[in-house]
Amino acid sequence: MTVNITAIYGSPRKDGNTDILMQAFLRGLNAEGCSAKEVFVRDLNIQPCTACGGCAQTGCCVLRDDMDLLYPLFETSDVIVLAAPVFFYGFGAMTKAMVDRSQAFWVRKYKLKQNMNSFRASGAGRRRQCAPPCWTGASRPSRCTSRS
């Protein structure tokens, strides 16, 4: 059985200590015949959560950005590994934005009472669960007034 692993580099600094530690971890995986999909948060455009409550109804974030690339990875991963430095007793801003935007998963599981394992097993995940993005212009996301 293949284990689906996602490795998230959470440091804004390329080739810094966090990258070195994650690379050592991945070398250990490779030595055991495993591999991981690598994600570099510093290369993504992730808006911070606006606490709009849009995800509270559907379990899907209404913001459209590079989190749309991560949601399917999160849903289909057996293991998610995050390496991130600690700045002022917490994650840096880019990594914190990613973590905060994962609120939609919490809503699905605890508020909407959806079985998260069924999404992973079927591979359906967000592609089927969430409606297409809502747009008011070429690049500005807006709140959805309806989900069809």
Side-chain angles (χ1 to χ4, degrees):
M1 178 176 92
T2 302
V3 177
N4 189 359
I5 302 169
T6 299
I8 302 171
Y9 292 76
S11 177
R13 197 170 121 214
K14 184 177 181 179
D15 298 327
N17 291 333
T18 300
D19 286 9
I20 291 168
L21 289 170
M22 179 65 89
Q23 290 162 3
F25 174 80
L26 294 175
R27 280 193 302 276
L29 282 181
N30 290 334
E32 295 298 320
C34 298
S35 63
K37 167 74 176 158
E38 296 178 77
V39 175
F40 297 86
V41 175
R42 65 177 160 263
D43 295 335
L44 301 175
N45 179 24
I46 300 174
Q47 300 173 52
C49 177
T50 61
C52 69
C55 65
Q57 303 304 311
T58 63
C60 300
C61 183
V62 298
L63 298 177
R64 302 277 65 88
D65 59 17
D66 288 342
M67 277 300 290
D68 288 340
L69 304 171
L70 297 181
Y71 290 130
L73 285 176
F74 293 168
E75 290 172 329
T76 58
S77 293
D78 298 309
V79 176
I80 298 172
V81 179
L82 171 62
V86 175
F87 300 134
F88 297 99
Y89 303 102
F91 293 131
M94 293 181 293
T95 302
K96 181 70 164 88
M98 178 196 66
V99 170
D100 288 350
R101 291 280 301 285
S102 298
Q103 170 74 7
F105 290 116
W106 183 92
V107 168
R108 285 190 209 172
K109 183 173 182 176
Y110 295 105
K111 185 174 181 192
L112 301 177
K113 307 293 186 198
Q114 295 176 357
N115 180 352
M116 299 306 290
N117 289 328
S118 67
F119 293 121
R120 262 188 354 91
S122 70
R126 188 169 203 273
R127 292 178 294 283
R128 290 192 192 148
Q129 184 65 20
C130 294
C134 298
W135 297 92
T136 57
S139 62
R140 298 186 64 112
S142 70
R143 281 186 125 177
C144 295
T145 55
S146 65
R147 295 267 186 200
S148 55

